[in-house]
Amino acid sequence: MIDQSSRNTTPGCGRAYPDGYGVVEPVADYRPWDVDSEFQAIYREIREHTMVDIYRLWILWVLARRAPAGAVLEVGSWRGGSGAVLARVAGDRRAARANPGAAGTAPRAGEPKQPRVYLADTFAGVVKAGERDSYYRGGEHANTSPEHVRSLLDELDLGWVELLVGIFPDDTGPRVEDERFALCHIDVDVYQSAWDTFWWVWPRLVPGGIAVFDDYGFYGCEGVTACVEEIMARLPGVPVIPNLSGQAVIVKTEG
Ligand SMILES: C[S@@+](CC[C@H](N)C(=O)[O-])C[C@H]1O[C@@H](n2cnc3c(N)ncnc32)[C@H](O)[C@@H]1O
């Protein structure tokens, strides 16, 4: 059994917690990720290339499998681990379309012939840190490169994934502005990048499309928590699911 429960990406975990923060200890004990051999297979390949723990990766895996047809975007790919999980699901769905009835994910109406997955990163670290961000100053997580991600994707036969190198959406948004997205994973650590990415992608999400924020439930990423709470206030009636793994999931129920 692979268990990454001790891995914690919270940057501020050495500090004393203020009110409203503390270790979260859910009491559930259903662990489907332990017995899903397809998930475990990709997890084994990418676990050394991600800061995202197995719980959040599992949520991404499930959401990507259930998302409507459309392109997939991840902003904040770092060494490519979580992006490779999303790409593996997109590839499986494409294969299911070509071969209905085969094992794997059920095809959806309108499933594209070629899966379209975009992984965006500055590859120069975090940008747009500001006063809402308590920990990040800019430049963190620059210890990656497009070559590192490309080599991981090639090893996993996911070479068709497109990398968007630069600040998203400022530099690289125009390259994909005509896409329609089924799922967007926003893992950028700070308020302004999360805000800019969400409002860029929101009008481009198909009905049923999903935006998943990493960082929402982590001490040190209060900017992203604030970003999601401001979005909730601006979008009353839109389903927002904050989960106990630290993500916030927003579903676009209407076009
Ligand atoms: C915590 S890391 C992402 C972790 C990754 N998802 C994984 O699987 O480990 C955050 C990344 O976001 C990137 N980033 C932050 N703001 C960005 C922006 N506006 N455009 C592109 N990349 C950004 C940083 O360069 C950094 O690599």
Side-chain angles (χ1 to χ4, degrees):
M1 178 192 302
I2 295 170
D3 183 356
Q4 209 184 12
S5 50
S6 61
R7 190 175 283 203
N8 186 346
T9 62
T10 307
C13 53
R15 297 185 281 165
Y17 286 120
D19 287 351
Y21 285 86
V23 175
V24 176
E25 295 177 289
V27 294
D29 43 22
Y30 178 45
R31 297 173 58 97
W33 50 87
D34 283 344
V35 291
D36 183 328
S37 57
E38 290 174 44
F39 173 75
Q40 286 291 340
I42 183 73
Y43 177 64
R44 268 194 301 276
E45 301 286 349
I46 61 91
R47 61 178 299 178
E48 299 306 326
H49 303 271
T50 185
M51 304 180 204
V52 179
D53 62 50
I54 194 168
Y55 308 122
R56 288 178 284 159
L57 291 169
W58 168 254
I59 299 284
L60 288 176
W61 171 261
V62 171
L63 291 174
R65 286 163 72 99
R66 301 203 59 86
V72 173
L73 170 67
E74 177 177 75
V75 183
S77 293
W78 191 55
R79 294 186 177 169
S82 55
V85 170
L86 296 173
R88 172 53 50 81
V89 175
D92 288 352
R93 286 178 55 156
R94 197 272 311 255
R97 178 187 190 280
N99 187 11
T105 315
R108 300 283 185 288
E111 195 77 66
K113 284 200 178 103
Q114 288 300 327
R116 299 186 310 283
V117 175
Y118 303 96
L119 304 187
D121 207 291
T122 63
F123 295 98
V126 170
V127 287
K128 304 189 186 181
E131 59 189 25
R132 289 185 174 88
D133 308 299
S134 68
Y135 173 81
Y136 285 94
R137 295 290 171 264
E140 297 84 359
H141 310 316
N143 50 351
T144 181
S145 65
E147 294 71 29
H148 180 102
V149 176
R150 182 53 66 206
S151 140
L152 175 68
L153 293 170
D154 286 347
E155 273 171 35
L156 297 172
D157 283 330
L158 300 169
W160 43 268
V161 171
E162 257 188 67
L163 300 189
L164 303 176
V165 180
I167 297 175
F168 192 91
D170 316 41
D171 299 334
T172 55
R175 281 183 49 194
V176 287
E177 66 189 357
D178 295 330
E179 276 288 14
R180 288 297 169 268
F181 296 93
L183 187 143
C184 179
H185 182 218
I186 303 171
D187 189 1
V188 291
D189 300 321
V190 296
Y191 175 91
Q192 196 64 53
S193 278
W195 181 263
D196 292 351
T197 298
F198 178 79
W199 290 113
W200 185 93
V201 82
W202 183 245
R204 296 176 174 85
L205 278 183
V206 301
I210 303 166
V212 186
F213 285 85
D214 200 86
D215 308 313
Y216 168 77
F218 289 91
Y219 184 40
C221 297
E222 293 91 327
V224 179
T225 315
C227 171
V228 172
E229 285 170 1
E230 286 176 32
I231 290 167
M232 285 163 77
R234 283 208 191 184
L235 296 177
V238 169
V240 180
I241 304 142
N243 69 28
L244 296 183
S245 304
Q247 297 152 313
V249 179
I250 304 186
V251 182
K252 186 170 184 179
T253 48
E254 289 165 19

